Amino acid sequence: MIRNVLSIAGSDPSGGAGIQADLKAFSARGVYGMAVLTALTAQNTQGVSGVHLVPPQFVADQINAVFADVRVDAVKIGMIANAGIADAVAGALTDHRDIPIVIDPVMIAKGGAALLAPEAVDVLTRRLLPLATLLTPNLPEAAALLHQPVATNRAEMAEQAERLRALGPAAVLVKGGHLDSDESPDVLATAAGLHWFEARRVPTKNTHGTGCTLSSALAAELAKGASAQEAVAIAKDYLAGAVAAAGHLTVGSGHGPVQHFHALWKEGE
């Protein structure tokens, strides 16, 4: 049976991040993708120049319309933008705790633009994190959620992963891509303890949408029945291939997108 996975996130007209990246990752991982828009952005590979938010009630209306008709096997939540939208999403998902929910706390764009209002952090923490099967912050996002300095080593990453899990998520994956190192380790905190995933840093500037892509791949694998640890291993391997093949694309002059279909497309075709 082909699984159905819903993304609740913002739009990226350049196609590398947000809803567009989510739908590509879903397709690449063999699940049927659906999308609820929380925001329209004016952005490209060089940065975000504008954001137009969808009214909170209409975000909830979109979610309710999908659930009223379609079997949803997993949900991925990306850009929430403000407290009203966070509250609306939490309310619409409260009755659907029986399916996996992956939360990628999109807070800052690659170019530095803020994508989550400060007052929304409290609502995100109180209402959405307890619904999460898996939370996937990078180092700045983990620090912002905990009101702590950004982790600079493995010990601090592990401590923050455990502290975030204490806020309600069943599992937390703290991503180490911002470490000043040739390595890019991630740590998964679950009820069973900590598990590290090792990876070498790929020397490329084409990393636009990596967080969106990873969290969507995780949601796809959870929808197919994988455990959190299994899903992370599969999704990280998929993302590594997508980043390694990013140079085959010629999209923009800034931080280009990853190649979501690296396993399906042949270069030059």
Side-chain angles (χ1 to χ4, degrees):
M1 180 174 60
I2 296 173
R3 304 295 178 175
N4 303 324
V5 184
L6 172 65
S7 172
I8 302 170
S11 169
D12 171 11
S14 71
I19 287 289
Q20 287 83 349
D22 297 343
L23 293 175
K24 290 173 186 177
F26 290 159
S27 295
R29 297 310 308 159
V31 300
Y32 179 80
M34 302 172 288
V36 164
L37 285 170
T38 60
L40 306 178
T41 69
Q43 68 173 295
N44 53 32
T45 65
Q46 298 182 59
V48 178
S49 57
V51 177
H52 179 73
L53 302 183
V54 176
Q57 183 56 55
F58 196 70
V59 173
D61 290 345
Q62 293 177 76
I63 297 171
N64 292 333
V66 172
F67 274 96
D69 180 53
V70 183
R71 185 197 74 250
V72 180
D73 298 303
V75 174
K76 173 265 172 82
I77 301 173
M79 182 180 176
I80 292 297
N82 66 21
I85 294 174
D87 210 37
V89 171
L93 293 179
T94 297
D95 292 334
H96 304 291
R97 295 170 179 261
D98 55 329
I99 62 174
I101 297 176
V102 177
I103 298 180
D104 180 26
V106 177
M107 304 175 83
I108 302 172
K110 271 281 186 302
L115 298 178
L116 183 69
E119 64 273 14
V121 176
D122 177 62
V123 179
L124 174 67
T125 302
R126 286 189 299 103
R127 298 214 57 202
L128 279 174
L129 294 198
L131 299 177
T133 305
L134 181 58
L135 176 70
T136 65
N138 60 30
L139 297 187
E141 290 162 350
L145 289 172
L146 292 170
H147 305 289
Q148 286 188 321
V150 175
T152 58
N153 55 53
R154 289 175 180 251
E156 291 173 353
M157 284 178 62
E159 178 189 0
Q160 291 191 357
E162 293 281 30
R163 289 195 62 190
L164 285 168
R165 202 177 77 81
L167 296 177
V172 176
L173 180 71
V174 174
K175 302 173 294 187
H178 286 78
L179 287 179
D180 185 15
S181 166
D182 290 336
E183 301 296 323
S184 183
D186 299 342
V187 61
L188 177 68
T190 69
L194 297 175
H195 185 87
W196 287 91
F197 295 85
E198 308 296 337
R200 294 286 295 177
R201 190 177 302 279
V202 178
T204 178
K205 70 173 184 176
N206 298 320
T207 57
H208 184 52
T210 50
C212 305
T213 299
L214 179 65
S215 55
S216 295
L218 287 167
E221 298 309 319
L222 291 174
K224 290 186 279 186
S227 68
Q229 188 168 325
E230 291 167 340
V232 172
I234 294 169
K236 276 185 64 68
D237 183 64
Y238 162 70
L239 179 61
V243 173
H248 296 166
L249 300 174
T250 52
V251 180
S253 56
H255 293 286
V258 302
Q259 167 48 312
H260 294 90
F261 300 112
H262 63 278
L264 302 173
W265 296 357
K266 293 182 180 179
E267 186 179 5
E269 290 189 351

